[in-house]
Amino acid sequence: MAAPVGVDRDTVVAAAAALVSEAGRVDAVSLRQVAERVGVRTQSLYAHVDGLDDLRRALAVVGLVRLGDALTDAAIGRSGPEAVEAIVRAYVRFALDEPGLYDATLVVPGDDVEVAATMTAVGRPLNLVFRSYGYDEADALHWYRIVFAAVHGYALMRRDGLFTMPADPDETLDRMIAVFVRELEATAPV
């Protein structure tokens, strides 16, 4: 059976991304579901993707591009503490609104040039803020890891309902951002 007109790799990946968004989990999407969504047999997908691993790699790129766009949009026109806050909030919002695609972004790029490039784009807004504070590349890397680890942990705990104590999780996020800003400013080289 020939693939329907208009079915190409982009169509397959877009269908998979929609399924991931609906399911909220990247591992909940199968090749069979994607094939049904685009109206082909599962075997026909192999003309467009090299199996499930290749499809998940493509979903990582989609998620990273969308996350990078969200962080860049949040940072535009902002600097210093305002930029830090906007970027962190955009990161959390993406992780909560798109849990499946967010999870898809959590990959090791290895020697995959496209994945590495999209990861660099995700880090660019925060790294520009770190540079504006005068941090060199090594210090900016440490700061990026600190912010990413905290934001990632917060987002997963929030998403999974693990903030069960009575304190408001939004206030926790406010305080986390305040700690980042205070420490960035206190230790800035300039």
Side-chain angles (χ1 to χ4, degrees):
M1 168 162 63
V5 174
V7 174
D8 57 13
R9 183 177 173 86
D10 290 342
T11 303
V12 169
V13 173
L19 286 165
V20 166
S21 289
E22 291 165 16
R25 291 185 27 225
V26 70
D27 64 349
V29 176
S30 68
L31 290 174
R32 180 188 55 76
Q33 291 168 308
V34 175
E36 288 173 2
R37 175 68 60 107
V38 298
V40 299
R41 295 181 322 170
T42 303
Q43 300 89 319
S44 298
L45 289 182
Y46 288 93
H48 309 292
V49 293
D50 266 344
L52 192 56
D53 287 343
D54 184 38
L55 183 61
R56 288 196 176 147
R57 181 219 158 267
L59 289 169
V61 170
V62 168
L64 287 163
V65 166
R66 290 184 188 175
L67 177 57
D69 289 348
L71 301 183
T72 299
D73 289 349
I76 290 175
R78 294 180 169 88
S79 62
E82 188 182 337
V84 172
E85 179 176 3
I87 293 165
V88 167
R89 290 188 187 285
Y91 223 121
V92 169
R93 193 169 32 260
F94 183 85
L96 296 177
D97 292 348
E98 288 286 355
L101 283 177
Y102 176 74
D103 286 350
T105 69
L106 303 173
V107 296
V108 176
D111 59 0
D112 189 317
V113 175
E114 186 178 20
V115 171
T118 54
M119 284 183 166
T120 298
V122 167
R124 187 170 293 118
L126 261 180
N127 284 319
L128 288 172
V129 173
F130 298 148
R131 270 193 252 153
S132 76
Y133 279 108
Y135 289 103
D136 64 21
E137 191 173 327
D139 284 333
L141 174 62
H142 291 296
W143 267 110
Y144 190 86
R145 287 177 178 164
I146 290 165
V147 172
F148 172 72
V151 169
H152 175 71
Y154 174 88
L156 291 186
M157 291 180 73
R158 180 91 186 245
R159 175 186 81 184
D160 295 343
L162 297 175
F163 287 135
T164 58
M165 295 179 181
D168 180 7
D170 291 330
E171 185 177 340
T172 302
L173 182 59
D174 293 343
R175 290 180 182 208
M176 188 169 74
I177 292 167
V179 168
F180 293 155
V181 168
R182 193 168 44 248
E183 194 63 21
L184 278 165
E185 291 181 342
T187 62
V190 291

